Amino acid sequence: MTLICDFLSMGLHISVSDRLVTYGDTGGVFEDKFNKTILCFTEDSILVVSFTGQAHVGGLPFDSWIASQLVNAKIDSRAVNAFGVYSGPRNCRTLVSRIVRSLRSEFLVNNVEIRISGYIFVRGMALPYFLRIKKIGLLKNIIFGKMDTWSLCRKGGFFISLSSGWAHVERRIVRNAIVKLQSGPPEGVSFEQFSVDVMVNMLREFAQKHDSIGGELMVLKNSLRDQKVEISYQNINGFSPISELNGLFSDIPATFIPWIITLSSCHQPSILRGGGFRARVYGFLIEVIGPAFLEKGIFAWSEMPRRRP
């Protein structure tokens, strides 16, 4: 079962999740390129769209299905090229409406929770934003849970949310994390790094008690001050490269690049071996932290077709 943890303050957004889908009976990885988080850039927002509750829609990976709704076009997940030209949502309102409309019209989607978190820009100000959308059963009824993150964050505070009611399952773990964040970082440690460590350790504590939480973590940090979105991957026991793939270049450490959707493009999940990944979108630097770059910049793409269930 997926666990997604979101942290929001006036200048920092952290999203931590167990990235991979695993088999319930063996715990083995279903697909290395599966991803429960989509990074979206619109004219007025930088948002992370994540989900839990359903892995596939009629044989299509659920992350591919959501991305297709966001760009208003069917994305061929079997394509060799990871990058494509599409029409992403123009603003936050369009993004939300496309998701809601798709949930109501698709009868194969049921019992899902979609989370939208990040920042919207209003009159030069970056406002924390969080919206939870739930669809229960086959009905067209949608449940919305929008939080007043502005009131929580504007006086130096912060907002934390966990998916699927996990906060009520392990209240002690959540309470301890909140107390640590309120106490602030130790001397010599930045608040950003301290907050990331607290959120990652909180998810690790959950994983140690619940086998249903996957062992590989995706950590996304959006720093408005640095205008930088940093993405890294860790396993439950500490930092490690992503799960190994068989085939060519399998002995080279790998970096996973997630879904990235902009107004005019869509980058599908892909595996890059031999280095990290950097790109600029609307003035923001996206950096996927990976193994040290190889000499002379040697790298290799691994674009395997997405598997059907």
Side-chain angles (χ1 to χ4, degrees):
M1 188 174 182
T2 300
L3 174 55
I4 303 169
C5 308
D6 282 297
F7 169 94
L8 272 167
S9 69
M10 286 304 295
L12 179 65
H13 175 213
I14 301 168
S15 178
V16 184
S17 63
D18 58 327
R19 179 178 75 86
L20 294 173
V21 169
T22 55
Y23 292 104
D25 51 351
T26 65
V29 174
F30 175 77
E31 181 190 328
D32 273 284
K33 290 172 67 176
F34 204 99
N35 181 37
K36 300 169 185 173
T37 301
I38 300 173
L39 178 61
C40 297
F41 290 82
T42 74
E43 286 184 348
D44 67 351
S45 62
I46 302 177
L47 299 169
V48 171
V49 179
S50 52
F51 68 90
T52 179
Q54 189 165 338
H56 298 88
V57 181
L60 187 69
F62 198 71
D63 59 330
S64 294
W65 182 83
I66 292 181
S68 295
Q69 312 313 311
L70 291 177
V71 300
N72 246 355
K74 184 176 180 180
I75 297 177
D76 186 1
S77 59
R78 299 168 298 174
V80 175
N81 295 323
F83 181 82
V85 178
Y86 295 92
S87 177
R90 184 179 183 87
N91 49 44
C92 176
R93 183 174 182 176
T94 303
L95 183 148
V96 173
S97 66
R98 287 183 181 181
I99 291 177
V100 172
R101 181 188 65 218
S102 301
L103 288 176
R104 284 177 172 158
S105 61
E106 179 55 77
F107 72 94
L108 292 176
V109 176
N110 55 85
N111 297 321
V112 297
E113 175 184 327
I114 296 179
R115 302 160 60 85
I116 305 171
S117 58
Y119 296 98
I120 57 174
F121 301 99
V122 180
R123 298 177 182 175
M125 292 186 61
L127 305 181
Y129 180 89
F130 180 84
L131 175 65
R132 181 190 290 114
I133 305 172
K134 285 187 176 182
K135 182 179 180 182
I136 301 176
L138 299 176
L139 300 177
K140 294 184 178 181
N141 294 334
I142 306 295
I143 300 174
F144 296 91
K146 187 174 182 180
M147 300 299 296
D148 186 11
T149 51
W150 164 248
S151 298
L152 294 170
C153 299
R154 65 191 178 119
K155 294 183 179 180
F158 57 85
F159 166 79
I160 287 181
S161 174
L162 279 69
S163 63
S164 302
W166 278 106
H168 300 289
V169 176
E170 298 288 350
R171 299 191 181 196
R172 181 191 61 81
I173 295 176
V174 178
R175 184 169 59 250
N176 290 344
I178 292 175
V179 170
K180 289 179 182 178
L181 290 167
Q182 289 174 335
S183 63
E187 186 176 353
V189 179
S190 68
F191 178 74
E192 290 186 2
Q193 187 56 52
F194 174 73
S195 301
V196 169
D197 292 341
V198 171
M199 297 298 290
V200 169
N201 290 333
M202 179 173 66
L203 196 147
R204 285 177 179 162
E205 287 191 58
F206 272 95
Q208 289 171 359
K209 289 193 170 187
H210 302 275
D211 295 335
S212 60
I213 298 176
E216 184 174 312
L217 311 183
M218 171 178 169
V219 184
L220 184 147
K221 180 183 73 173
N222 180 7
S223 171
L224 295 183
R225 182 192 63 185
D226 299 332
Q227 290 191 304
K228 180 179 179 180
V229 179
E230 185 178 287
I231 303 170
S232 60
Y233 296 89
Q234 306 178 22
N235 65 19
I236 293 299
N237 299 315
F239 182 82
S240 72
I242 68 165
S243 303
E244 285 300 315
L245 296 173
N246 296 321
L248 192 63
F249 302 108
S250 61
D251 57 336
I252 301 177
T255 301
F256 177 83
I257 305 174
W259 287 98
I260 302 172
I261 293 178
T262 72
L263 287 170
S264 58
S265 66
C266 175
H267 187 292
Q268 298 185 44
S270 54
I271 307 295
L272 177 63
R273 295 193 174 275
F277 171 86
R278 293 189 184 101
R280 284 201 173 272
V281 178
Y282 311 140
F284 270 75
L285 174 65
I286 302 175
E287 182 172 8
V288 181
I289 306 299
F293 284 85
L294 297 182
E295 186 178 359
K296 298 181 182 179
I298 301 173
F299 67 91
W301 288 102
S302 177
E303 290 297 336
M304 299 193 308
R306 305 294 299 277
R307 292 192 289 171
R308 300 175 70 89

